[in-house]
Amino acid sequence: MDQDFTTPVENTWCPGCGNFGILNAFRKAIPKLEKQGINPKHLIISAGIGCHGKIFDYVPLSGMYSLHGRSIATVQGIKLGNPNLKVLTFAGDGDAFGEGISHMIFAAKRNADITVIVHNNGTYALTTGQFSPTSQKGFKGPSLPSGNIEEPLNPLSLMLEAGASFVARGYAGRIDHLANLMVEAVLHEGFSYIDVLQPSVVFTNTYKEFNASVEMIEKPAVRLEDAVQLAKRFDKIPIGVFYNVSKPIYHQELYGEWNPVVNRLSHAERIRSIALYLSDHLQE
Amino acid sequence: MDQDFTTPVENTWCPGCGNFGILNAFRKAIPKLEKQGINPKHLIISAGIGCHGKIFDYVPLSGMYSLHGRSIATVQGIKLGNPNLKVLTFAGDGDAFGEGISHMIFAAKRNADITVIVHNNGTYALTTGQFSPTSQKGFKGPSLPSGNIEEPLNPLSLMLEAGASFVARGYAGRIDHLANLMVEAVLHEGFSYIDVLQPSVVFTNTYKEFNASVEMIEKPAVRLEDAVQLAKRFDKIPIGVFYNVSKPIYHQELYGEWNPVVNRLSHAERIRSIALYLSDHLQE
Amino acid sequence: MNDDLFTFLIAGKAGQGTKKAGIVAANFFARFKRNVFQMNDYPSLIRGGHNFSIVSTSTQKIYSHYMKADLAVLLDQRSIKIHQNHLTEHGLLVYDDAIKKQEHGIGIPITSLAKKYSTPDLIVGIAGIATLVAAIACDRSILDTIIQKEYQRNVQDNLGYAHEIYDQVFEKTPKKFILRNGTDTDPILTGAETIGLGVSAAGLDLFFAYPMTPSTPILHFLSLQGKKLGVRTIQPENEIAVANMAIGATFTGARSMVGTSGGGFCLMQEAFSLAGMAEAPVLFFLGQRPGPSTGVPTYTEQGELLHSLYPGQGEFPRIVASPGSIEEAFYLSAELLNLAWHFQTPVILLSEKHLTESSMNVNLQPDKISEVKPLQHNNGNYQRYRKTDSGISPLLFPPSKEMIKWTSYEHDENGYTTEEAEAITQMHIKRRTKQESLVQYLKENIKTVNEYGSGEPFLFTFGSTTMTVREAVLVSGLQCSVIQLIYLQPFPSWHLQKYSGHKAIIIEQNSTGQLEQLLREKCGIHPITSIRQFDGRPFDPELLAEKLKKVTA
Amino acid sequence: MNDDLFTFLIAGKAGQGTKKAGIVAANFFARFKRNVFQMNDYPSLIRGGHNFSIVSTSTQKIYSHYMKADLAVLLDQRSIKIHQNHLTEHGLLVYDDAIKKQEHGIGIPITSLAKKYSTPDLIVGIAGIATLVAAIACDRSILDTIIQKEYQRNVQDNLGYAHEIYDQVFEKTPKKFILRNGTDTDPILTGAETIGLGVSAAGLDLFFAYPMTPSTPILHFLSLQGKKLGVRTIQPENEIAVANMAIGATFTGARSMVGTSGGGFCLMQEAFSLAGMAEAPVLFFLGQRPGPSTGVPTYTEQGELLHSLYPGQGEFPRIVASPGSIEEAFYLSAELLNLAWHFQTPVILLSEKHLTESSMNVNLQPDKISEVKPLQHNNGNYQRYRKTDSGISPLLFPPSKEMIKWTSYEHDENGYTTEEAEAITQMHIKRRTKQESLVQYLKENIKTVNEYGSGEPFLFTFGSTTMTVREAVLVSGLQCSVIQLIYLQPFPSWHLQKYSGHKAIIIEQNSTGQLEQLLREKCGIHPITSIRQFDGRPFDPELLAEKLKKVTA
Ligand SMILES: Cc1ncc(C[n+]2csc(CCOP(=O)(O)OP(=O)(O)O)c2C)c(N)n1
Ligand SMILES: Cc1ncc(C[n+]2csc(CCOP(=O)(O)OP(=O)(O)O)c2C)c(N)n1
Ligand code: SF4
Ligand code: SF4
Ligand SMILES: [Mg+2]
Ligand SMILES: [Mg+2]
């Protein structure tokens, strides 16, 4: 693998797009993770469909470019197939909180050991800027030219409510900070969610606001209520880790230490088991 | 319509099922609503698929017996078709928080003017008792005989987080109280959610616990945080209205006072409009 | 006609244990080394309503239950109303004497005796077994053995109750029936069990499902037994998660399968198409019940044949096959899982409630099943979507220093997204080539059609209906062939064209004649008549035999 | 061949306004009362990459763009690489002189001049228009009019820039092209617009959609224009909500439609089957793009024909039709909405990106469209699913003192759930009868196939490919017929059988020959050859004409 983690694929994001910040942060996170003992070949990625999803082609890691909204299910499947792998998916706000919201809530609820990084640009960018679940009220897009009439979801407090054990917010304009969040999220055992403030220069050019109002969190809240409160602050926009607790992990609860592809029952053992089952059911 | 709101359909719930309490409460709520000016012919019902859904056949109101998880979308469609109707759906916990959770969250988020009554029995009853999104950890069902490994969702705090403007809990064993909640929920303008504690005598026979620990709420919390706190109490199980606020309503934000089936553009007007559009695009 | 056919019917309310009694009765007949077929009929409810279970048994092989019973045990008034005429000429009706006295049959205090015991509602099913054992004039000790094995909860109560019933029945109809011994010792299994065992033999690792009749029994079977068989089950939040998780799991090399029914399968179609594009080998079990929509959840139908041929948008290799017996389900499920991996494409195992939930004795030889290894990457630069002559690209699983990219987008050989005309064309051709390889493979290596009997007329059918048709042919004594299509996609026209121009009858369980449409259009087979039933119930072999005799007369 | 065909090509990066320039160019040609066809080619990205727009114009009717341009304006290096050979014999290449000097063509300081203005990236599309106007030797005042109408933002900058380009081009190639005047004054519209207008004319009230190319343009059009046309749009959380809300809305009598593409349509199939069971009249727009799965989102294909025939589990009346031109899309959309209400069943309007996103001048006569009133309940006891001779039950909408129950379960005439054999059979027959009524109705009242030209060979095609085939026939000068299947389900075999045995060529945009499969199997039409393209691009009429000439030679 290239040490700079690039690929021959042409980058087609708009110049200045916040996605570059996320890509750069991720490229920085990979070697940091390697130092922490996570070999890039164990780091499996996925992505939804949208501008954000293109990141899949821009890093030379193995993984699966999934469907709009479904990468959260995809990576859970990968983890369940081989729990030795570390899995991470990039998702859009439309992806994760529109089409795929059921998977987000249940991944958090069951504390699936996956990392979800949402490129939250408050719009369905790739489909030309319709309002999304995190669009501000009043946001004008081509499917509602007079302005969005819904209040946005709050991804962080929603994930906290659903049971997420690691919740953070990063900003595409703070690359090193974001890279560290990514490292922490991947290392966290259990469901990790990073909401990334991602300006879409075309549809939601929010750099100025974010630059003015992001504020680093010193350390995560201990109590869930406090994390929720922090997630609901709007005077300043806190970035950093909001909440980080340890909880029973889904695949371990399900399998213990067993691993489907590593500890497969051999063909002979299966045949023996079946024969046993049949003989238990033989007519006496 | 019969004054006792019965139908010729044979009731096939198990004797003692909590669903009877919900049915009886609803039969009491209909005339109460009529007194409040809501004619039963304006009251349109729906239901998901599950034991709960059978209630659809047991009351002689108009409506649509929907799909598993989708009745929440169905009633929003009905409301959007004719905002003069009052719409209400019965749903199961599997229905509303498994298959249909995306619709629940967005109905709450957009404050759709619908009422959702969830028969929360903590199991997929009709499909013979598998664990559901609200099943307790450890609950034993045929798809996980060793016991559920996930923490249950908290439907009330989840709906509050999603933006629900009316959130209540009732108990199938407190019929009059529940009937009153139903009346309040239907009268509430905006998204109303009632979580009904519903013992399934076969799979989750919880009458005893509930009888011992339900406690009436005096009045709704004023602050959202307090409502959430109340929803997370487990020493006692509060029943009553947790939260009740007024917010902009989806169909009004969308339409103002317009009604698709009442204020339809006539055929002639449409043809005129199209002709106008065409002449605007005529080659000069 | 079967000369020593015996049919036992037990009917009552859900919760009275009629299904359990049917299974126990089947095992009772097995003591005589007889063949059995057992079918459960129940509405979508948990307690009450009307359930019944029928077990037909014979010393010969038997492929269907019969609607006319030799012994009917009816536990409630409704059962009398429905089943009083479902008796053979010398059939015996035993009913609960709480019901008003009937002209025929004998009343036994089934419910009133039950009242003495701890679970009076649940215990009554035992009355059926006690009656059966008594009517066959078996020793009461046999009844004891059965009760001790099959009704272990409150066993003393159960024994006491069983004795009381046995004694009363025995007194009133001593030695009513005599059952010859047969020679069969095969286990009695449901289709859900044989499917679960078959895929385990072919190396299944993970089974994902959201409950939905009639696929749920596979989920339940594997949840209970899977660990020993090497299979774990996962019940996610909905069918969309089910299918996408299964695809994700295959990325790691884990053999994955999903189970669902009509509505759930619809929701999975987006993922089905993804599997086609990403070339993910997932086996989809699609259990049919009467549709459209929620339909009649606990009954049987074959209304999704055409629907199953092109699920998921776009063009990619597709496989659909349907087992014609509970036994075949074992081998076919394994074969399909192997085909999925061989061709790296989604595969549908199409079946019906009548197969998954009925049981019969089956001869399974697990060692006949192998686990086909897919094409593996050996060394050198890895490209997930490398073009090959067969259209099949080698597989490689993580962790690997090679980059492995699967994708839903159109792509180049590396798995990177492409929008270029030539690259798009090439990948379409790759997938089409794979489809052609598949057809070739089926032609050369796979039994795509079963032919039973010989000579005209040819009775065409598929799926579980095959069982009833075969039984009906036995009943009718007709000289004819039963042609069962195992594979439906690719459609084995190469095999079937020879029947064109011959006398054909098409038998299926749907209202529009979907198999007929395919046979007409693809093979020029124009039947002299078609026989369809679409009331949710499987055909009765005797009625079907009569129809066959009429149309072939 | 068209003797006064003129083709304008503009190519550059996304964000440089090539699409806009194409539309403006089309309207410019319209000033000459000429016919136009305009097509946009763009990858799935927002800024950068490679976009182009082609406008072909003629005094005759024209059904396709041509890949060879008379005037090509190329804004970047990549455009040169891709399009330098896409010129007619006397074609003129104009390119940005920031690119290294080309052998042919003239360099113009397109980007360097733009730098002076406020939005240098966005303004460059205007260079295309200025070049066009200059090359046609129109007066600069015409350019001013156009800029003032079409580029209102920063209009002074735009005018200044346009003048500079115009002057340079005019100087270098005075009076290069002369365009004859035509006689056509019809408006230039996209397929998305004609569909939106058509359904409005037939009474559409609500349009539900979740964005997905290539259906999104309908959503955008109706979101902007719908209010005036009587139509409101709703964008719910996902496609499942879209379809179920639309069904709910029909319950109130509101005419409802959904728009989607492959993956989204898959997700809607469960609701599609519900509409079949509940008898909910919903019109589904299914816009095709290259699949499977995410595929190539912004391009065109016809890979979902077979997939669209049996969506949703179970048996119920189904209608699928596909417009063969942007004009026909207007009438057909209206007809399908009416059919949905006439037969109370889900209907699919199948199309492609090439239709929804291309534009041409169309002659629409809205007063030819009526809003068919469905069968209404008059008085007496209401039963939602009353059996009738036609299988169509009268409708009644709330509020009503009568009980109106729609349902996903199998049901009796009142809409109450049933599990009884006879009731199930009856409702299957009711739905099958409705299907038969539908076929009868199509046979008697509906144009299901278009026939253009006369005599052999017969060129079979469907959907937007029809436009290109018709144009290719013009180009080739061949004597032949174009047979366009408008209806695909029910398949109009009654109409097509007459072609069996004649010389046929089948032309479609997919790799496996889906239309061919249907024509072979259902009508015994075996083509002498088939022509398929599956690279995401529409056929080029000239290349297609050559192929046609070769195979018919
Ligand atoms: C099932 C389905 N529905 C719709 C689409 C079309 N689609 C592609 S990307 C997208 C929205 C992307 O928004 P978001 O997830 O926020 O990503 P962004 O482009 O903003 O990064 C949509 C609706 C799709 N690909 N699949
Ligand atoms: C798409 C789909 N998946 C699965 C089912 C099968 N199904 C019917 S009811 C049900 C669960 C019902 O659970 P819940 O909503 O809690 O209702 P309850 O029976 O407990 O009242 C399921 C999974 C279905 N009908 N449709
Ligand atoms: S549209 Fe927005 S999100 Fe997409 S690449 Fe451009 S700036 Fe980024
Ligand atoms: S199974 Fe449970 S929820 Fe269903 S009817 Fe019986 S008691 Fe009620
Ligand atoms: Mg976004
Ligand atoms: Mg439940």
Side-chain angles (χ1 to χ4, degrees), chain C residues 496-515:
Chain C
L496 294 164
Q497 257 133 7
K498 65 178 180 212
Y499 298 111
S500 167
H502 291 274
K503 196 166 161 185
I505 298 170
I506 302 176
I507 306 167
E508 56 190 310
Q509 285 213 261
N510 59 53
S511 83
T512 57
Q514 302 189 21
L515 179 64

Side-chain angles (χ1 to χ4, degrees), chain C residues 256-271:
Chain C
S256 309
M257 175 175 176
V258 309
T260 191
S261 179
F265 184 69
C266 284
L267 295 168
M268 293 182 180
Q269 286 199 27
E270 190 199 16

